[in-house]
Amino acid sequence: MAAGILGLMTLAYRGWSIILIAPFCAGVAAIFSEFGILPTYTELYMTRLAEYTKTYYPVFLFGAIFAGLMEKGGLASSIAGKIISLLGEKRAILAVLLGCAALTYGGLSVFVVAFVMYPFGAAIFRQADIPKRLLPATLWMGIFSFAMVALPGSPQIQNIIPSSYFGTSTWAGAGIGLFATVLFMLISLGWLTYRTKKLQGGGEGYGTHTDERRRREKVLPPWQFSLLPLLMVIVINMFLSNPFGWEWGFHWDEAALSAFLPFKLSLITSGVGKVQAIWSISVALVLSSIAAAYIGRKRYKANRENFLDTINYGAASSCAAVLNVASGFAFGSVVVSMPGFLPIKEMLIGLGDTAGPLVSAVVTTNIMCGLTGSASGGLTIALSMLGSEWAAMAGGLGIPLDALHRLVAVASVGIDPVPHCGALVTLLAICGLTHKEAYFDIVVLMVLKFFVPFLCILFYVTTGIA
């Protein structure tokens, strides 16, 4: 089992695709078990991969198309440029953080946000003479922290996954989420500002880099119109998921799945409550994509962009994205099913009995996300392994599932930027920097934000606000 985990971490760090290596490493993990390599691959690994894909592929598909239309239509660049120009070089770090957060919270794929924000971030860091090696850490905290998992209503997959297990909405745990957002912002601004002053005081500036030259955009939609599709994602998602039980809000038909019961499909969810968050965000992304396509239509004509190519590319890229995450989830599912993992699982369950389900959920989620190098993959593994136990414990103690939802989501970004994390490797490649050059500040921020969910538990226990 350990050999399989180490193999995955090593190969992923060296740039091997997790889609390719995950099944091989799962086979290695199963060598000394009673399951056998090929049965493990076909009956366990592939089943878990199919389950993840079936549940979350719509979010990846419609999210990728929406992100492509926002990017190619110039809407994302228009919004990012406006935020950067408003805050200016004196607030360069804050400008990049907020620019990333706005696009992430608006529903763009996190990787698209990285591609869009990098040239703006590089330009303003150069103007402010901030060392470029701090840019990846700034982008990481703007994209892969509060806007992705803490802000209530975030349409990112890490905020949707818990709803499939607890029957909650993406707006669950709003109080805890806002508290976590403040902590993430304080950590980000505090450390990055300190590091900027220290490095500049030592005579280090932006440095000599030529890869960030940004082409001039000839035609960009007005930022006010560009912002509309992002707002649509948030508002439509809120109306359809109806997190606060408004009478005038939308209510999904509780019997919507009853027609499929005679088919006895093993992957059909137990009720509408487990999928309504996915339905809501899917509809929101489709309608917002239509708006984005219309607003960005002049950009397509001016730059001779092919509208259909953008949609097709988004659909195709969504397949690779969901398979990447599903492969990590399937590998983790194999590992936690091995007899050698049983003592660890019992320890984590015991932690719930002694320290409570919230602490157990936070610790377990961090471990799984660290092992897989994926916030979404590790979160799904943790919930599939112990989600029902945590929910039962929480119910017995009177803890709302909304609080559990928000805490596991926030915990998923605790130690996820391990060296073999695919998102981290991609971000460093976008910035044209190496682990050696830029990883130190990411590690420090990783250590600091590891404590955020524990402080959130303290906040909930002290105030009772979920």
Side-chain angles (χ1 to χ4, degrees):
M1 183 181 73
I5 296 173
L6 291 174
L8 181 74
M9 294 173 66
T10 302
L11 292 173
Y13 177 73
R14 292 180 178 275
W16 288 73
S17 169
I18 194 172
I19 298 174
L20 174 64
I21 64 176
F24 285 100
C25 292
V28 172
I31 287 178
F32 299 106
S33 73
E34 62 185 9
F35 301 131
I37 296 177
L38 292 179
T40 296
Y41 172 65
T42 60
E43 305 308 310
L44 179 55
Y45 179 90
M46 290 304 299
T47 297
R48 296 302 187 192
L49 184 143
E51 287 178 350
Y52 187 95
T53 305
K54 170 263 173 186
T55 304
Y56 302 112
Y57 180 62
V59 180
F60 283 87
L61 173 62
F62 300 129
I65 293 174
F66 175 64
L69 292 170
M70 289 289 293
E71 179 190 13
K72 296 296 184 182
L75 285 75
S77 294
S78 178
I79 296 168
K82 183 62 178 179
I83 293 173
I84 295 292
S85 66
L86 282 175
L87 295 176
E89 65 181 64
K90 291 184 179 180
R91 299 181 182 86
I93 293 174
L94 179 62
V96 174
L97 286 172
L98 293 182
C100 291
L103 298 180
T104 302
Y105 188 63
L108 268 69
S109 160
V110 290
F111 296 106
V112 171
V113 177
F115 277 107
V116 169
M117 283 302 303
Y118 166 67
F120 290 97
I124 197 170
F125 268 46
R126 175 185 283 276
Q127 293 171 17
D129 202 29
I130 297 174
K132 187 182 178 181
R133 59 169 156 150
L134 297 180
L135 182 56
T138 308
L139 292 171
W140 184 272
M141 293 302 292
I143 301 171
F144 299 94
S145 65
F146 61 95
M148 190 170 78
V149 299
L151 282 175
S154 173
Q156 300 299 330
I157 191 67
Q158 293 80 4
N159 188 37
I160 297 171
I161 289 172
S163 66
S164 302
Y165 292 88
F166 301 138
T168 48
S169 77
T170 55
W171 299 84
I176 295 174
L178 293 175
F179 178 71
T181 298
V182 173
L183 293 180
F184 279 126
M185 284 294 294
L186 290 176
I187 288 171
S188 305
L189 287 173
W191 175 256
L192 292 169
T193 300
Y194 161 75
R195 281 285 285 167
T196 298
K197 292 180 179 179
K198 182 177 180 179
L199 293 175
Q200 288 180 334
E204 182 178 348
Y206 182 81
T208 303
H209 303 278
T210 59
D211 60 307
E212 74 282 347
R213 294 290 183 182
R214 180 167 56 94
R215 68 178 183 179
R216 290 194 174 187
E217 304 285 2
K218 295 181 179 179
V219 178
L220 284 179
W223 69 269
Q224 299 93 329
F225 293 160
S226 299
L227 196 60
L228 179 60
L230 302 187
L231 295 176
M232 285 178 62
V233 172
I234 298 168
V235 173
I236 295 173
N237 181 34
M238 176 182 284
F239 174 75
L240 293 180
S241 60
N242 196 8
F244 308 111
W246 297 313
E247 290 185 5
W248 52 268
F250 190 82
H251 295 271
W252 294 99
D253 182 7
E254 293 295 330
L257 298 175
S258 59
F260 298 96
L261 294 179
F263 293 99
K264 298 181 179 180
L265 299 172
S266 60
L267 299 184
I268 282 291
T269 188
S270 58
V272 170
K274 297 294 183 70
V275 291
Q276 65 180 14
I278 296 174
W279 290 355
S280 299
I281 192 61
S282 295
V283 173
L285 287 170
V286 170
L287 295 178
S288 301
S289 294
I290 296 173
Y294 180 77
I295 294 171
R297 67 192 186 283
K298 292 183 179 179
R299 165 70 179 267
Y300 283 98
K301 294 179 180 178
N303 291 352
R304 297 180 181 179
E305 297 275 6
N306 190 309
F307 176 75
L308 184 58
D309 286 347
T310 299
I311 294 178
N312 288 341
Y313 178 79
S317 64
S318 70
C319 297
V322 74
L323 283 177
N324 266 300
V325 181
S327 298
F329 166 65
F331 170 80
S333 298
V334 170
V335 170
V336 300
S337 300
M338 294 293 113
F341 194 82
L342 185 59
I344 300 176
K345 182 176 181 179
E346 292 176 345
M347 178 197 71
L348 294 172
I349 294 176
L351 183 62
D353 294 329
T354 56
L358 300 183
V359 173
S360 176
V362 167
V363 172
T364 304
T365 301
N366 267 293
I367 292 174
M368 294 299 108
C369 293
L371 285 176
T372 60
S374 167
S376 55
L379 176 59
T380 310
I381 294 168
L383 287 171
S384 64
M385 180 174 64
L386 294 176
S388 58
E389 284 87 347
W390 294 331
M393 290 180 189
L397 296 171
I399 300 172
L401 292 181
D402 282 10
L404 195 55
H405 172 128
R406 186 57 53 202
L407 283 168
V408 295
V410 171
S412 71
V413 298
I415 58 173
D416 62 314
V418 287
H420 61 284
C421 172
L424 174 65
V425 173
T426 301
L427 181 63
L428 291 175
I430 292 171
C431 295
L433 297 172
T434 64
H435 282 76
K436 183 178 180 179
E437 293 172 310
Y439 194 46
F440 172 76
D441 293 286
I442 294 175
V443 169
V444 173
L445 289 168
M446 177 174 67
V447 173
L448 292 174
K449 65 191 179 78
F450 169 79
F451 295 100
V452 169
F454 294 100
L455 292 175
C456 288
I457 293 176
L458 181 61
F459 169 80
Y460 168 71
V461 172
T462 303
T463 66
I465 297 175

PDB file of all heavy atoms in Angstrom, residues 295-327:
ATOM      1  N   ILE A 295     -22.337  38.675 -24.920  1.00  0.00           N
ATOM      2  CA  ILE A 295     -21.557  39.865 -24.553  1.00  0.00           C
ATOM      3  C   ILE A 295     -20.208  39.884 -25.260  1.00  0.00           C
ATOM      4  O   ILE A 295     -19.710  40.948 -25.655  1.00  0.00           O
ATOM      5  CB  ILE A 295     -21.376  39.923 -23.020  1.00  0.00           C
ATOM      6  CG1 ILE A 295     -22.737  40.143 -22.347  1.00  0.00           C
ATOM      7  CG2 ILE A 295     -20.398  41.023 -22.622  1.00  0.00           C
ATOM      8  CD1 ILE A 295     -22.712  39.999 -20.847  1.00  0.00           C
ATOM      9  N   GLY A 296     -19.612  38.710 -25.449  1.00  0.00           N
ATOM     10  CA  GLY A 296     -18.285  38.648 -26.070  1.00  0.00           C
ATOM     11  C   GLY A 296     -18.290  38.448 -27.567  1.00  0.00           C
ATOM     12  O   GLY A 296     -17.243  38.186 -28.160  1.00  0.00           O
ATOM     13  N   ARG A 297     -19.443  38.595 -28.203  1.00  0.00           N
ATOM     14  CA  ARG A 297     -19.559  38.292 -29.633  1.00  0.00           C
ATOM     15  C   ARG A 297     -18.662  39.183 -30.496  1.00  0.00           C
ATOM     16  O   ARG A 297     -18.104  38.726 -31.510  1.00  0.00           O
ATOM     17  CB  ARG A 297     -21.017  38.407 -30.080  1.00  0.00           C
ATOM     18  CG  ARG A 297     -21.580  39.813 -30.041  1.00  0.00           C
ATOM     19  CD  ARG A 297     -23.095  39.825 -30.213  1.00  0.00           C
ATOM     20  NE  ARG A 297     -23.633  41.183 -30.310  1.00  0.00           N
ATOM     21  CZ  ARG A 297     -23.787  41.988 -29.253  1.00  0.00           C
ATOM     22  NH1 ARG A 297     -23.434  41.578 -28.054  1.00  0.00           N
ATOM     23  NH2 ARG A 297     -24.297  43.200 -29.419  1.00  0.00           N
ATOM     24  N   LYS A 298     -18.503  40.463 -30.134  1.00  0.00           N
ATOM     25  CA  LYS A 298     -17.677  41.368 -30.939  1.00  0.00           C
ATOM     26  C   LYS A 298     -16.208  40.966 -30.887  1.00  0.00           C
ATOM     27  O   LYS A 298     -15.468  41.156 -31.846  1.00  0.00           O
ATOM     28  CB  LYS A 298     -17.856  42.799 -30.453  1.00  0.00           C
ATOM     29  CG  LYS A 298     -19.236  43.372 -30.710  1.00  0.00           C
ATOM     30  CD  LYS A 298     -19.327  44.827 -30.264  1.00  0.00           C
ATOM     31  CE  LYS A 298     -20.718  45.398 -30.546  1.00  0.00           C
ATOM     32  NZ  LYS A 298     -20.829  46.811 -30.099  1.00  0.00           N
ATOM     33  N   ARG A 299     -15.786  40.425 -29.752  1.00  0.00           N
ATOM     34  CA  ARG A 299     -14.391  39.989 -29.620  1.00  0.00           C
ATOM     35  C   ARG A 299     -14.102  38.843 -30.582  1.00  0.00           C
ATOM     36  O   ARG A 299     -13.025  38.768 -31.169  1.00  0.00           O
ATOM     37  CB  ARG A 299     -14.141  39.568 -28.167  1.00  0.00           C
ATOM     38  CG  ARG A 299     -12.880  38.769 -27.920  1.00  0.00           C
ATOM     39  CD  ARG A 299     -11.619  39.606 -28.074  1.00  0.00           C
ATOM     40  NE  ARG A 299     -10.454  38.780 -27.802  1.00  0.00           N
ATOM     41  CZ  ARG A 299      -9.879  38.673 -26.634  1.00  0.00           C
ATOM     42  NH1 ARG A 299     -10.368  39.355 -25.610  1.00  0.00           N
ATOM     43  NH2 ARG A 299      -8.827  37.909 -26.463  1.00  0.00           N
ATOM     44  N   TYR A 300     -15.057  37.947 -30.745  1.00  0.00           N
ATOM     45  CA  TYR A 300     -14.864  36.824 -31.665  1.00  0.00           C
ATOM     46  C   TYR A 300     -14.690  37.328 -33.093  1.00  0.00           C
ATOM     47  O   TYR A 300     -13.837  36.833 -33.840  1.00  0.00           O
ATOM     48  CB  TYR A 300     -16.056  35.857 -31.579  1.00  0.00           C
ATOM     49  CG  TYR A 300     -16.030  34.978 -30.353  1.00  0.00           C
ATOM     50  CD1 TYR A 300     -16.763  35.296 -29.227  1.00  0.00           C
ATOM     51  CD2 TYR A 300     -15.246  33.829 -30.320  1.00  0.00           C
ATOM     52  CE1 TYR A 300     -16.734  34.494 -28.093  1.00  0.00           C
ATOM     53  CE2 TYR A 300     -15.211  33.029 -29.202  1.00  0.00           C
ATOM     54  CZ  TYR A 300     -15.953  33.357 -28.087  1.00  0.00           C
ATOM     55  OH  TYR A 300     -15.900  32.570 -26.981  1.00  0.00           O
ATOM     56  N   LYS A 301     -15.487  38.289 -33.471  1.00  0.00           N
ATOM     57  CA  LYS A 301     -15.396  38.828 -34.833  1.00  0.00           C
ATOM     58  C   LYS A 301     -14.083  39.586 -35.028  1.00  0.00           C
ATOM     59  O   LYS A 301     -13.420  39.450 -36.052  1.00  0.00           O
ATOM     60  CB  LYS A 301     -16.591  39.748 -35.104  1.00  0.00           C
ATOM     61  CG  LYS A 301     -17.936  39.032 -35.129  1.00  0.00           C
ATOM     62  CD  LYS A 301     -19.066  40.018 -35.378  1.00  0.00           C
ATOM     63  CE  LYS A 301     -20.416  39.307 -35.395  1.00  0.00           C
ATOM     64  NZ  LYS A 301     -21.548  40.254 -35.600  1.00  0.00           N
ATOM     65  N   ALA A 302     -13.696  40.383 -34.020  1.00  0.00           N
ATOM     66  CA  ALA A 302     -12.495  41.212 -34.159  1.00  0.00           C
ATOM     67  C   ALA A 302     -11.228  40.366 -34.218  1.00  0.00           C
ATOM     68  O   ALA A 302     -10.299  40.657 -34.975  1.00  0.00           O
ATOM     69  CB  ALA A 302     -12.412  42.201 -32.993  1.00  0.00           C
ATOM     70  N   ASN A 303     -11.166  39.306 -33.413  1.00  0.00           N
ATOM     71  CA  ASN A 303      -9.970  38.458 -33.356  1.00  0.00           C
ATOM     72  C   ASN A 303     -10.087  37.199 -34.206  1.00  0.00           C
ATOM     73  O   ASN A 303      -9.220  36.324 -34.138  1.00  0.00           O
ATOM     74  CB  ASN A 303      -9.677  38.067 -31.903  1.00  0.00           C
ATOM     75  CG  ASN A 303      -9.225  39.243 -31.077  1.00  0.00           C
ATOM     76  OD1 ASN A 303      -8.988  40.328 -31.607  1.00  0.00           O
ATOM     77  ND2 ASN A 303      -9.105  39.050 -29.782  1.00  0.00           N
ATOM     78  N   ARG A 304     -11.177  37.121 -34.962  1.00  0.00           N
ATOM     79  CA  ARG A 304     -11.408  35.960 -35.832  1.00  0.00           C
ATOM     80  C   ARG A 304     -11.375  34.648 -35.055  1.00  0.00           C
ATOM     81  O   ARG A 304     -10.860  33.635 -35.508  1.00  0.00           O
ATOM     82  CB  ARG A 304     -10.385  35.933 -36.970  1.00  0.00           C
ATOM     83  CG  ARG A 304     -10.502  37.146 -37.900  1.00  0.00           C
ATOM     84  CD  ARG A 304      -9.483  37.096 -39.009  1.00  0.00           C
ATOM     85  NE  ARG A 304      -9.603  38.275 -39.878  1.00  0.00           N
ATOM     86  CZ  ARG A 304      -8.811  38.507 -40.932  1.00  0.00           C
ATOM     87  NH1 ARG A 304      -7.832  37.650 -41.213  1.00  0.00           N
ATOM     88  NH2 ARG A 304      -8.989  39.592 -41.665  1.00  0.00           N
ATOM     89  N   GLU A 305     -11.893  34.726 -33.834  1.00  0.00           N
ATOM     90  CA  GLU A 305     -11.999  33.519 -33.015  1.00  0.00           C
ATOM     91  C   GLU A 305     -13.203  32.710 -33.504  1.00  0.00           C
ATOM     92  O   GLU A 305     -14.237  33.263 -33.867  1.00  0.00           O
ATOM     93  CB  GLU A 305     -12.195  33.891 -31.541  1.00  0.00           C
ATOM     94  CG  GLU A 305     -11.034  34.644 -30.924  1.00  0.00           C
ATOM     95  CD  GLU A 305      -9.961  33.709 -30.411  1.00  0.00           C
ATOM     96  OE1 GLU A 305     -10.080  32.491 -30.633  1.00  0.00           O
ATOM     97  OE2 GLU A 305      -8.988  34.206 -29.812  1.00  0.00           O
ATOM     98  N   ASN A 306     -13.058  31.416 -33.487  1.00  0.00           N
ATOM     99  CA  ASN A 306     -14.150  30.532 -33.884  1.00  0.00           C
ATOM    100  C   ASN A 306     -14.980  30.184 -32.661  1.00  0.00           C
ATOM    101  O   ASN A 306     -14.501  29.523 -31.743  1.00  0.00           O
ATOM    102  CB  ASN A 306     -13.598  29.259 -34.545  1.00  0.00           C
ATOM    103  CG  ASN A 306     -14.707  28.437 -35.190  1.00  0.00           C
ATOM    104  OD1 ASN A 306     -15.718  28.137 -34.574  1.00  0.00           O
ATOM    105  ND2 ASN A 306     -14.514  28.095 -36.457  1.00  0.00           N
ATOM    106  N   PHE A 307     -16.217  30.664 -32.661  1.00  0.00           N
ATOM    107  CA  PHE A 307     -17.103  30.453 -31.514  1.00  0.00           C
ATOM    108  C   PHE A 307     -17.314  28.965 -31.233  1.00  0.00           C
ATOM    109  O   PHE A 307     -17.250  28.517 -30.077  1.00  0.00           O
ATOM    110  CB  PHE A 307     -18.435  31.147 -31.793  1.00  0.00           C
ATOM    111  CG  PHE A 307     -19.476  30.922 -30.741  1.00  0.00           C
ATOM    112  CD1 PHE A 307     -19.400  31.575 -29.528  1.00  0.00           C
ATOM    113  CD2 PHE A 307     -20.541  30.053 -30.970  1.00  0.00           C
ATOM    114  CE1 PHE A 307     -20.360  31.377 -28.553  1.00  0.00           C
ATOM    115  CE2 PHE A 307     -21.501  29.849 -29.998  1.00  0.00           C
ATOM    116  CZ  PHE A 307     -21.411  30.516 -28.787  1.00  0.00           C
ATOM    117  N   LEU A 308     -17.542  28.194 -32.281  1.00  0.00           N
ATOM    118  CA  LEU A 308     -17.782  26.763 -32.097  1.00  0.00           C
ATOM    119  C   LEU A 308     -16.542  26.054 -31.574  1.00  0.00           C
ATOM    120  O   LEU A 308     -16.641  25.141 -30.746  1.00  0.00           O
ATOM    121  CB  LEU A 308     -18.235  26.134 -33.419  1.00  0.00           C
ATOM    122  CG  LEU A 308     -18.621  24.646 -33.370  1.00  0.00           C
ATOM    123  CD1 LEU A 308     -19.749  24.427 -32.366  1.00  0.00           C
ATOM    124  CD2 LEU A 308     -19.035  24.157 -34.750  1.00  0.00           C
ATOM    125  N   ASP A 309     -15.374  26.475 -32.022  1.00  0.00           N
ATOM    126  CA  ASP A 309     -14.133  25.869 -31.534  1.00  0.00           C
ATOM    127  C   ASP A 309     -13.975  26.077 -30.030  1.00  0.00           C
ATOM    128  O   ASP A 309     -13.478  25.192 -29.316  1.00  0.00           O
ATOM    129  CB  ASP A 309     -12.924  26.454 -32.266  1.00  0.00           C
ATOM    130  CG  ASP A 309     -12.801  25.932 -33.690  1.00  0.00           C
ATOM    131  OD1 ASP A 309     -13.496  24.944 -34.018  1.00  0.00           O
ATOM    132  OD2 ASP A 309     -12.020  26.510 -34.473  1.00  0.00           O
ATOM    133  N   THR A 310     -14.364  27.249 -29.556  1.00  0.00           N
ATOM    134  CA  THR A 310     -14.268  27.536 -28.126  1.00  0.00           C
ATOM    135  C   THR A 310     -15.138  26.589 -27.317  1.00  0.00           C
ATOM    136  O   THR A 310     -14.710  26.035 -26.295  1.00  0.00           O
ATOM    137  CB  THR A 310     -14.689  28.989 -27.843  1.00  0.00           C
ATOM    138  OG1 THR A 310     -13.814  29.879 -28.534  1.00  0.00           O
ATOM    139  CG2 THR A 310     -14.647  29.286 -26.347  1.00  0.00           C
ATOM    140  N   ILE A 311     -16.364  26.379 -27.789  1.00  0.00           N
ATOM    141  CA  ILE A 311     -17.278  25.481 -27.080  1.00  0.00           C
ATOM    142  C   ILE A 311     -16.778  24.039 -27.142  1.00  0.00           C
ATOM    143  O   ILE A 311     -16.764  23.325 -26.131  1.00  0.00           O
ATOM    144  CB  ILE A 311     -18.696  25.580 -27.683  1.00  0.00           C
ATOM    145  CG1 ILE A 311     -19.268  26.978 -27.433  1.00  0.00           C
ATOM    146  CG2 ILE A 311     -19.604  24.519 -27.083  1.00  0.00           C
ATOM    147  CD1 ILE A 311     -20.636  27.189 -28.017  1.00  0.00           C
ATOM    148  N   ASN A 312     -16.337  23.616 -28.314  1.00  0.00           N
ATOM    149  CA  ASN A 312     -15.845  22.241 -28.460  1.00  0.00           C
ATOM    150  C   ASN A 312     -14.604  21.995 -27.618  1.00  0.00           C
ATOM    151  O   ASN A 312     -14.436  20.930 -27.020  1.00  0.00           O
ATOM    152  CB  ASN A 312     -15.543  21.944 -29.927  1.00  0.00           C
ATOM    153  CG  ASN A 312     -16.801  21.805 -30.764  1.00  0.00           C
ATOM    154  OD1 ASN A 312     -17.888  21.585 -30.228  1.00  0.00           O
ATOM    155  ND2 ASN A 312     -16.677  21.959 -32.069  1.00  0.00           N
ATOM    156  N   TYR A 313     -13.719  23.001 -27.581  1.00  0.00           N
ATOM    157  CA  TYR A 313     -12.501  22.845 -26.779  1.00  0.00           C
ATOM    158  C   TYR A 313     -12.847  22.743 -25.292  1.00  0.00           C
ATOM    159  O   TYR A 313     -12.268  21.944 -24.557  1.00  0.00           O
ATOM    160  CB  TYR A 313     -11.558  24.022 -27.006  1.00  0.00           C
ATOM    161  CG  TYR A 313     -10.303  23.946 -26.162  1.00  0.00           C
ATOM    162  CD1 TYR A 313      -9.256  23.114 -26.523  1.00  0.00           C
ATOM    163  CD2 TYR A 313     -10.176  24.700 -24.991  1.00  0.00           C
ATOM    164  CE1 TYR A 313      -8.111  23.024 -25.745  1.00  0.00           C
ATOM    165  CE2 TYR A 313      -9.043  24.623 -24.213  1.00  0.00           C
ATOM    166  CZ  TYR A 313      -8.015  23.783 -24.594  1.00  0.00           C
ATOM    167  OH  TYR A 313      -6.886  23.696 -23.815  1.00  0.00           O
ATOM    168  N   GLY A 314     -13.803  23.547 -24.855  1.00  0.00           N
ATOM    169  CA  GLY A 314     -14.226  23.472 -23.460  1.00  0.00           C
ATOM    170  C   GLY A 314     -14.799  22.110 -23.119  1.00  0.00           C
ATOM    171  O   GLY A 314     -14.501  21.549 -22.064  1.00  0.00           O
ATOM    172  N   ALA A 315     -15.617  21.570 -24.024  1.00  0.00           N
ATOM    173  CA  ALA A 315     -16.200  20.252 -23.785  1.00  0.00           C
ATOM    174  C   ALA A 315     -15.120  19.179 -23.723  1.00  0.00           C
ATOM    175  O   ALA A 315     -15.154  18.286 -22.863  1.00  0.00           O
ATOM    176  CB  ALA A 315     -17.211  19.934 -24.889  1.00  0.00           C
ATOM    177  N   ALA A 316     -14.150  19.248 -24.647  1.00  0.00           N
ATOM    178  CA  ALA A 316     -13.078  18.255 -24.676  1.00  0.00           C
ATOM    179  C   ALA A 316     -12.177  18.368 -23.446  1.00  0.00           C
ATOM    180  O   ALA A 316     -11.794  17.363 -22.842  1.00  0.00           O
ATOM    181  CB  ALA A 316     -12.255  18.404 -25.955  1.00  0.00           C
ATOM    182  N   SER A 317     -11.843  19.604 -23.064  1.00  0.00           N
ATOM    183  CA  SER A 317     -10.952  19.786 -21.909  1.00  0.00           C
ATOM    184  C   SER A 317     -11.617  19.354 -20.617  1.00  0.00           C
ATOM    185  O   SER A 317     -10.936  18.948 -19.668  1.00  0.00           O
ATOM    186  CB  SER A 317     -10.518  21.249 -21.815  1.00  0.00           C
ATOM    187  OG  SER A 317     -11.630  22.093 -21.567  1.00  0.00           O
ATOM    188  N   SER A 318     -12.940  19.421 -20.559  1.00  0.00           N
ATOM    189  CA  SER A 318     -13.632  18.999 -19.349  1.00  0.00           C
ATOM    190  C   SER A 318     -13.456  17.504 -19.102  1.00  0.00           C
ATOM    191  O   SER A 318     -13.445  17.055 -17.949  1.00  0.00           O
ATOM    192  CB  SER A 318     -15.128  19.329 -19.445  1.00  0.00           C
ATOM    193  OG  SER A 318     -15.785  18.509 -20.407  1.00  0.00           O
ATOM    194  N   CYS A 319     -13.297  16.737 -20.184  1.00  0.00           N
ATOM    195  CA  CYS A 319     -13.091  15.289 -20.036  1.00  0.00           C
ATOM    196  C   CYS A 319     -11.763  15.002 -19.339  1.00  0.00           C
ATOM    197  O   CYS A 319     -11.694  14.180 -18.418  1.00  0.00           O
ATOM    198  CB  CYS A 319     -13.123  14.613 -21.405  1.00  0.00           C
ATOM    199  SG  CYS A 319     -14.696  14.739 -22.269  1.00  0.00           S
ATOM    200  N   ALA A 320     -10.720  15.693 -19.779  1.00  0.00           N
ATOM    201  CA  ALA A 320      -9.409  15.506 -19.150  1.00  0.00           C
ATOM    202  C   ALA A 320      -9.443  15.960 -17.698  1.00  0.00           C
ATOM    203  O   ALA A 320      -8.857  15.312 -16.811  1.00  0.00           O
ATOM    204  CB  ALA A 320      -8.346  16.276 -19.928  1.00  0.00           C
ATOM    205  N   ALA A 321     -10.149  17.069 -17.434  1.00  0.00           N
ATOM    206  CA  ALA A 321     -10.203  17.597 -16.070  1.00  0.00           C
ATOM    207  C   ALA A 321     -10.901  16.641 -15.120  1.00  0.00           C
ATOM    208  O   ALA A 321     -10.403  16.357 -14.026  1.00  0.00           O
ATOM    209  CB  ALA A 321     -10.909  18.957 -16.070  1.00  0.00           C
ATOM    210  N   VAL A 322     -12.051  16.133 -15.532  1.00  0.00           N
ATOM    211  CA  VAL A 322     -12.794  15.245 -14.634  1.00  0.00           C
ATOM    212  C   VAL A 322     -12.075  13.907 -14.467  1.00  0.00           C
ATOM    213  O   VAL A 322     -12.085  13.312 -13.374  1.00  0.00           O
ATOM    214  CB  VAL A 322     -14.243  15.035 -15.137  1.00  0.00           C
ATOM    215  CG1 VAL A 322     -14.282  14.120 -16.359  1.00  0.00           C
ATOM    216  CG2 VAL A 322     -15.117  14.463 -14.036  1.00  0.00           C
ATOM    217  N   LEU A 323     -11.404  13.433 -15.512  1.00  0.00           N
ATOM    218  CA  LEU A 323     -10.666  12.178 -15.396  1.00  0.00           C
ATOM    219  C   LEU A 323      -9.451  12.326 -14.490  1.00  0.00           C
ATOM    220  O   LEU A 323      -9.087  11.377 -13.777  1.00  0.00           O
ATOM    221  CB  LEU A 323     -10.238  11.673 -16.777  1.00  0.00           C
ATOM    222  CG  LEU A 323     -11.331  11.010 -17.619  1.00  0.00           C
ATOM    223  CD1 LEU A 323     -10.787  10.622 -18.994  1.00  0.00           C
ATOM    224  CD2 LEU A 323     -11.872   9.769 -16.907  1.00  0.00           C
ATOM    225  N   ASN A 324      -8.817  13.485 -14.511  1.00  0.00           N
ATOM    226  CA  ASN A 324      -7.697  13.727 -13.607  1.00  0.00           C
ATOM    227  C   ASN A 324      -8.138  13.595 -12.155  1.00  0.00           C
ATOM    228  O   ASN A 324      -7.502  12.901 -11.358  1.00  0.00           O
ATOM    229  CB  ASN A 324      -7.113  15.125 -13.849  1.00  0.00           C
ATOM    230  CG  ASN A 324      -5.959  15.110 -14.818  1.00  0.00           C
ATOM    231  OD1 ASN A 324      -4.943  14.470 -14.595  1.00  0.00           O
ATOM    232  ND2 ASN A 324      -6.121  15.810 -15.927  1.00  0.00           N
ATOM    233  N   VAL A 325      -9.208  14.274 -11.811  1.00  0.00           N
ATOM    234  CA  VAL A 325      -9.685  14.253 -10.430  1.00  0.00           C
ATOM    235  C   VAL A 325     -10.267  12.885 -10.083  1.00  0.00           C
ATOM    236  O   VAL A 325     -10.017  12.341  -9.002  1.00  0.00           O
ATOM    237  CB  VAL A 325     -10.735  15.348 -10.206  1.00  0.00           C
ATOM    238  CG1 VAL A 325     -11.210  15.335  -8.759  1.00  0.00           C
ATOM    239  CG2 VAL A 325     -10.161  16.707 -10.555  1.00  0.00           C
ATOM    240  N   ALA A 326     -11.034  12.306 -11.011  1.00  0.00           N
ATOM    241  CA  ALA A 326     -11.648  11.002 -10.760  1.00  0.00           C
ATOM    242  C   ALA A 326     -10.593   9.915 -10.587  1.00  0.00           C
ATOM    243  O   ALA A 326     -10.773   8.974  -9.794  1.00  0.00           O
ATOM    244  CB  ALA A 326     -12.594  10.637 -11.903  1.00  0.00           C
ATOM    245  N   SER A 327      -9.478  10.033 -11.312  1.00  0.00           N
ATOM    246  CA  SER A 327      -8.402   9.047 -11.184  1.00  0.00           C
ATOM    247  C   SER A 327      -7.768   9.112  -9.798  1.00  0.00           C
ATOM    248  O   SER A 327      -7.478   8.080  -9.179  1.00  0.00           O
ATOM    249  CB  SER A 327      -7.341   9.282 -12.258  1.00  0.00           C
ATOM    250  OG  SER A 327      -7.878   9.116 -13.552  1.00  0.00           O
TER     251      SER A 327
END
